Amino acid sequence: MYPILFQLAGLGIIGWALLIFLPTWRPTRALAGSAFFPIYIAILYAFGVGALFMEYGFGFVADFGTAEGVTRLLARPEIAIVAWIHILAFDQAIGLAIYRENMRRHYVPIPVQSVILFLTLMFGPLGYLAFVLARVGRLGTQAFGGSARTYDDAGPAPRTNSDADPGPRTSADAGPALRTIFAAYRENWSVTLVALAGVALGILSLLPIAVRGSAIVPPEGDLMKPATFDLAVGIFILSLIPWLPAAFGEPGIRNALLHRGARHHGALDRARRTRVRDAGGRPPRAAGHRRALGRAGASILIGFLAGFYLSANQGRFVGETGNLLPLHAAGFHAVQAIPLVALLFAWSAAPVETGKRWLHVAGAAWALACVAIWWRTANGRAVTDLTGAGTLSVVFLGVWTIAALRALVAWRVHGSMMQARRGTCPTY
């Protein structure tokens, strides 16, 4: 599968071509705003590094501590390919950061920006260093200040008469999304502490593995099992907490979701909330979160069935390389993956029907990916084998990723609209 990942990662050159040759084109700006290509390569890297852990275990990470160990690891073709994808992902992220900041601040002209981006593509750190030097040349010592003003920041951005003075910028300006999530953790503090304790125990279990270079404790102990279990359960609970109030109707958080636009949109948002109501009289976004959990139901059922399969099989391994744990995890994590799409649309200004359509797409894609993984596993093949049903699972997960990115863009566009009303909208 590693050569296939290498070929798929090569498609990232499309993102570079757009940033370098068509920086002002509207689709380029849209892709830059969504960070599509860095996320795409990061997903490929996640597949690759996951396959390495399944093949070698966690112990090989200890070799990164010495020059000899790094040389020995990179001599293995599969590790070298995953390391290359690692480099590609961060080069893309740095190039995107350079593009965004220069398009907003105009430190250098567009042609010079393209030269810097090409240098970043070819020699990552050197391109970043060139941009830093250009920034210092424009701003001087202010280049390293958190509130540096550029040459075109002659005064405050204009505001209309309807815009109230926003006052100092704080973390609350991140919008209702962060406020809602933090409120959920505060209101469920006991569950949050338990989840954090699980994460802490998992990390503590990994430390002796990293020191010893092996997870095996003779005669039969395996530290990797409690480490991965504690981490998985802790992260699972942490990622589930923000959805609980929206799903079960806790008043404080639910109202923050349903009426998040009252301060900003006034009559327009009130009209949107009352335009479509379900049979129970609830606003459509309230029902949307419940529908999200419903869309995840098929995948969750597959996760439960995989658990029974584990018991009947008396172990997680099937055939030569099949492993039931990825299927089990994919099924249960639908309870985060599908509501995530719904929640981002709920925080956006997108039409309700648009959110519902993309929610259908996300739910169906995740369930079909679980079916493809099940088929692959039942035939004794590893999920990292990207042939046949393995390819279908990647395709369906890619469709879910597109739906999630569409929801993310809708949410970000909503945030940009609010910043524009307050005179703080970025222009990249």
Side-chain angles (χ1 to χ4, degrees):
M1 68 164 282
Y2 299 101
I4 296 177
L5 289 178
F6 178 84
Q7 294 172 358
L8 292 174
L11 296 177
I13 194 65
I14 298 173
W16 282 111
L18 292 174
L19 295 180
I20 293 172
F21 298 108
L22 298 170
T24 60
W25 192 31
R26 187 171 181 178
T28 302
R29 292 174 179 266
L31 284 171
S34 67
F36 173 82
F37 281 102
I39 294 173
Y40 163 73
I41 298 179
I43 291 172
L44 295 179
Y45 175 75
F47 275 103
V49 78
L52 289 179
F53 283 138
M54 293 175 65
E55 184 174 354
Y56 295 109
F58 195 79
F60 78 92
V61 176
D63 286 341
F64 284 115
T66 64
E68 295 79 7
V70 171
T71 304
R72 186 167 55 251
L73 287 175
L74 293 181
R76 300 177 181 177
E78 61 276 12
I79 294 180
I81 289 175
V82 174
W84 174 247
I85 297 174
H86 183 132
I87 294 170
L88 293 182
F90 277 96
D91 281 352
Q92 282 270 359
I94 292 298
L96 183 60
I98 292 172
Y99 171 87
R100 284 178 165 182
E101 185 170 357
N102 194 66
M103 293 295 286
R104 182 170 63 248
R105 300 295 190 182
H106 310 293
Y107 300 128
V108 297
I110 296 295
V112 178
Q113 170 186 293
S114 295
V115 172
I116 292 176
L117 287 173
F118 180 76
L119 187 61
T120 306
L121 166 64
M122 300 303 297
F123 308 101
L126 295 181
Y128 177 70
L129 180 60
F131 178 71
V132 169
L133 293 176
R135 191 172 185 268
V136 171
R138 175 63 69 176
L139 300 180
T141 57
Q142 292 185 355
F144 304 103
S147 59
R149 292 167 60 86
T150 65
Y151 66 95
D152 58 349
D153 288 339
R159 289 175 292 174
T160 64
N161 293 334
S162 61
D163 289 325
D165 184 4
R169 295 297 303 278
T170 66
S171 60
D173 288 317
L178 291 179
R179 290 199 298 272
T180 301
I181 291 173
F182 289 145
Y185 285 123
R186 285 196 302 269
E187 295 184 14
N188 298 276
W189 62 269
S190 57
V191 181
T192 302
L193 288 178
V194 171
L196 290 174
V199 173
L201 286 173
I203 294 174
L204 288 175
S205 299
L206 289 176
L207 291 178
I209 298 176
V211 172
R212 299 176 68 252
S214 172
I216 303 301
V217 179
E220 297 179 354
D222 187 348
L223 286 173
M224 186 58 70
K225 292 182 179 179
T228 54
F229 181 82
D230 289 343
L231 279 171
V233 172
I235 294 173
F236 181 83
I237 295 174
L238 284 175
S239 60
L240 187 63
I241 290 172
W243 314 133
L244 295 179
F248 298 107
E250 193 166 326
I253 312 298
R254 183 185 60 195
N255 291 338
L257 289 172
L258 298 182
H259 307 293
R260 86 260 183 266
R263 293 184 303 142
H264 306 301
H265 294 287
L268 174 63
D269 198 67
R270 286 194 294 274
R272 285 173 49 80
R273 289 200 302 272
T274 58
R275 183 176 55 192
V276 180
R277 290 178 178 269
D278 65 6
R282 294 186 298 271
R285 295 190 187 279
H289 299 292
R290 294 171 176 80
R291 280 196 296 268
L293 294 177
R295 300 293 178 272
S299 302
I300 296 171
L301 177 60
I302 292 176
F304 277 118
L305 293 176
F308 287 113
Y309 197 166
L310 276 165
S311 300
N313 192 60
Q314 296 185 347
R316 58 177 174 166
F317 296 108
V318 178
E320 295 182 0
T321 56
N323 191 333
L324 286 168
L325 288 185
L327 172 65
H328 190 58
F332 277 106
H333 284 294
V335 80
Q336 289 99 18
I338 312 306
L340 173 64
V341 176
L343 203 56
L344 288 173
F345 273 115
W347 285 328
S348 76
V352 173
E353 291 303 319
T354 299
K356 288 171 61 177
R357 284 195 298 270
W358 281 104
L359 187 58
H360 281 296
V361 170
W366 195 275
L368 289 172
C370 289
V371 171
I373 294 172
W374 185 297
W375 182 267
R376 199 68 176 159
T377 305
N379 284 279
R381 305 294 295 274
V383 295
T384 54
D385 185 355
L386 301 182
T387 58
T391 302
L392 288 178
S393 65
V394 174
V395 170
F396 290 132
L397 288 175
V399 172
W400 173 87
T401 301
I402 292 173
L405 288 174
R406 176 63 181 86
L408 180 63
V409 169
W411 172 57
R412 291 299 300 161
V413 168
H414 171 69
S416 298
M417 289 168 56
M418 297 315 306
Q419 288 182 338
R421 287 173 56 84
R422 302 178 65 172
T424 60
C425 182
T427 58
Y428 58 81

PDB file of all heavy atoms in Angstrom, residues 46 122 138:
ATOM      1  N   ALA A  46      -1.782   9.712   7.966  1.00  0.00           N
ATOM      2  CA  ALA A  46      -2.398   8.957   9.061  1.00  0.00           C
ATOM      3  C   ALA A  46      -2.559   7.494   8.678  1.00  0.00           C
ATOM      4  O   ALA A  46      -2.311   6.596   9.493  1.00  0.00           O
ATOM      5  CB  ALA A  46      -3.757   9.569   9.413  1.00  0.00           C
ATOM      6  N   MET A 122      10.377  23.330  -3.127  1.00  0.00           N
ATOM      7  CA  MET A 122      11.588  22.577  -3.416  1.00  0.00           C
ATOM      8  C   MET A 122      12.470  22.361  -2.182  1.00  0.00           C
ATOM      9  O   MET A 122      13.047  21.297  -2.002  1.00  0.00           O
ATOM     10  CB  MET A 122      12.396  23.294  -4.500  1.00  0.00           C
ATOM     11  CG  MET A 122      11.654  23.457  -5.813  1.00  0.00           C
ATOM     12  SD  MET A 122      11.078  21.886  -6.515  1.00  0.00           S
ATOM     13  CE  MET A 122      12.646  21.062  -6.797  1.00  0.00           C
ATOM     14  N   ARG A 138      10.162  44.224   5.840  1.00  0.00           N
ATOM     15  CA  ARG A 138       9.019  45.140   5.759  1.00  0.00           C
ATOM     16  C   ARG A 138       8.651  45.737   7.113  1.00  0.00           C
ATOM     17  O   ARG A 138       8.328  46.919   7.205  1.00  0.00           O
ATOM     18  CB  ARG A 138       7.825  44.373   5.186  1.00  0.00           C
ATOM     19  CG  ARG A 138       6.527  45.162   5.161  1.00  0.00           C
ATOM     20  CD  ARG A 138       6.624  46.385   4.272  1.00  0.00           C
ATOM     21  NE  ARG A 138       6.724  46.017   2.869  1.00  0.00           N
ATOM     22  CZ  ARG A 138       6.752  46.917   1.893  1.00  0.00           C
ATOM     23  NH1 ARG A 138       6.734  48.208   2.172  1.00  0.00           N
ATOM     24  NH2 ARG A 138       6.859  46.529   0.643  1.00  0.00           N
TER      25      ARG A 138
END
